[in-house]
Amino acid sequence: MDSRQRLAGLRQPWQSSHALLLIPLALIVVITVVDLLVPADVHLGPLLVIAPAITASFAGPRLTALIGALAVLAQAFIGWHFGALFTRNVLVQVLALAVLSSLTVFYCVVRERHRKELAQVRSVAEAAQHVLLWPLPEEIGPLRVACLYLAAEDEAQIGGDLYAATRIDAGTRVMIGDVRGKGLDAIGEAALLLGAFREAAHKHTALPGLAVALEQSVARYLDDFEPEEEAGERFVTALLMEIPDEDPITRMTSCGHPPPLLLSHGDAVTVPVHPTPPLGVGRTGPADYTVDVFSFEAGDTLLLYTDGVIEARDAGGRFYPLTERAAQWTGHSPETLLHHLRRDLLAHGGGRLGDDAALIAVRRTSTACPSAPPRKGHTRRRVLHHSETEPSH
């Protein structure tokens, strides 16, 4: 079935080009016939150049060359009809038409080459995206997850924003981050942090220890690769989150990253955090990092995002009101929620963003904790804050 669909996809543009081919063919016939019927002192033959020019807009070099050859033959036929084929005027017209048609074909060749190169670049970018940003599974333990990445640069698939999730004993750890800067340097730093998180998330029992390990990895990377002119200016914001399977709570450490939204019953609440400075600025001990704890119950959705979302501006310079917009779709699944946000965000930004943007929607489907208090109406949760470096599990 897949092979048939691919074959149909190949046939469709081919059939479309053949249908459009009737337009330049009709132009050649109409211009030739009219030129034969009008008085001899009226010359419409030079208009035949329109035919290959139009063909180049929808067809490749071969079809364009075919139409160009037919146009040259039509011009020669007009000259032969009037018995002036070998006159200087007709020869110049035929030669000029042949040269212009050849230039049009050359343009098609160059365009097709660039198109193939662009397709190859996109293919490499997609492969790099799958290597760097592994697609998050739709279900992780009791969590249903969806993710979205919007690159700001044209034709780009990846940038400096990053996210990852991994299972630990009786829970899930999630990270979302944003590397300062753009381009290959930002991608390299993002790759380093993702690798460090996937390795360290299983070695440290508390989030402060995990944050220290990530800080050390970023610091080593900057020591080796940070340009001298950017010394002290490179850093990474990150939000580390731990969601136990059996407790309706979530632990969180923010390293200079925007706080998440908690969505429930038509309401979107920004979770208060005690942020610490970003990774890469020299924090070295677990005591430097704060752990925030808040209630995350069955049916709730957590929305994690990078600053490219909340800093997107419309034509009037207004920032995107994420909390207000997300509150409209709290009852939807994570996939549908991100679908609405993507469409709304791009509409707000006029079709493109000024910075990379990443979002993760996490819905808790159930908890196994029998002592969890029942939900009552639309009461907002009591958010707990503490700065213990080793929170109890």
Side-chain angles (χ1 to χ4, degrees), residues 77-142:
F77 174 76
I78 293 172
W80 174 82
H81 179 270
F82 288 106
L85 177 59
F86 298 104
T87 63
R88 180 183 301 176
N89 184 40
V90 174
L91 288 176
V92 169
Q93 290 180 6
V94 171
L95 179 61
L97 183 57
V99 171
L100 291 175
S101 297
S102 300
L103 291 175
T104 305
V105 172
F106 176 74
Y107 159 76
C108 287
V109 172
V110 174
R111 183 191 62 190
E112 289 298 310
R113 182 176 301 172
H114 288 170
R115 182 177 297 174
K116 290 180 180 179
E117 291 176 353
L118 179 58
Q120 184 176 8
V121 169
R122 286 176 174 172
S123 176
V124 172
E126 290 176 0
Q129 184 182 37
H130 285 293
V131 171
L132 178 58
L133 286 179
W134 297 349
L136 300 182
E138 295 181 359
E139 293 185 359
I140 308 177

Side-chain angles (χ1 to χ4, degrees), residues 77-332:
F77 174 76
I78 293 172
W80 174 82
H81 179 270
F82 288 106
L85 177 59
F86 298 104
T87 63
R88 180 183 301 176
N89 184 40
V90 174
L91 288 176
V92 169
Q93 290 180 6
V94 171
L95 179 61
L97 183 57
V99 171
L100 291 175
S101 297
S102 300
L103 291 175
T104 305
V105 172
F106 176 74
Y107 159 76
C108 287
V109 172
V110 174
R111 183 191 62 190
E112 289 298 310
R113 182 176 301 172
H114 288 170
R115 182 177 297 174
K116 290 180 180 179
E117 291 176 353
L118 179 58
Q120 184 176 8
V121 169
R122 286 176 174 172
S123 176
V124 172
E126 290 176 0
Q129 184 182 37
H130 285 293
V131 171
L132 178 58
L133 286 179
W134 297 349
L136 300 182
E138 295 181 359
E139 293 185 359
I140 308 177
L143 308 176
R144 187 170 180 180
V145 182
C147 55
L148 173 65
Y149 195 102
L150 296 172
E153 295 187 7
D154 294 337
E155 309 300 343
Q157 298 283 337
I158 54 177
D161 289 7
L162 55 99
Y163 50 75
T166 187
R167 289 286 294 167
I168 58 172
D169 293 339
T172 302
R173 281 182 172 171
V174 181
M175 177 182 69
I176 187 168
D178 185 0
V179 177
R180 182 185 182 276
K182 298 180 180 180
L184 294 177
D185 291 338
I187 293 174
E189 200 165 341
L192 168 94
L193 188 60
L194 286 169
F197 171 79
R198 290 164 181 152
E199 180 67 21
H202 302 276
K203 294 182 176 180
H204 299 275
T205 59
L207 291 181
L210 174 59
V212 170
L214 298 180
E215 165 67 31
Q216 293 172 349
S217 296
V218 172
R220 286 193 296 267
Y221 177 87
L222 294 179
D223 287 342
D224 293 336
F225 299 105
E226 185 178 33
E228 294 183 2
E229 61 273 12
E230 296 184 8
E233 298 181 3
R234 301 287 294 274
F235 56 84
V236 183
T237 68
L239 184 69
L240 306 176
M241 191 166 290
E242 181 176 297
I243 307 174
D245 290 345
E246 298 184 355
D247 294 325
I249 62 171
T250 289
R251 299 180 181 90
M252 173 178 59
T253 293
S254 173
C255 302
H257 199 82
L261 294 181
L262 186 61
L263 311 181
S264 178
H265 295 292
D267 191 19
V269 180
T270 299
V271 180
V273 298
H274 294 98
T276 55
L279 302 175
V281 297
R283 313 281 284 195
T284 57
D288 294 328
Y289 296 95
T290 301
V291 176
D292 295 298
V293 181
F294 61 94
S295 177
F296 179 39
E297 303 177 15
D300 290 348
T301 299
L302 276 172
L303 184 62
L304 287 63
Y305 54 91
T306 59
D307 58 8
V309 177
I310 56 177
E311 293 180 1
R313 296 174 182 263
D314 61 11
R318 293 180 291 271
F319 291 113
Y320 182 68
L322 177 62
T323 304
E324 174 186 337
R325 301 296 175 84
Q328 304 176 27
W329 304 300
T330 56
H332 292 75

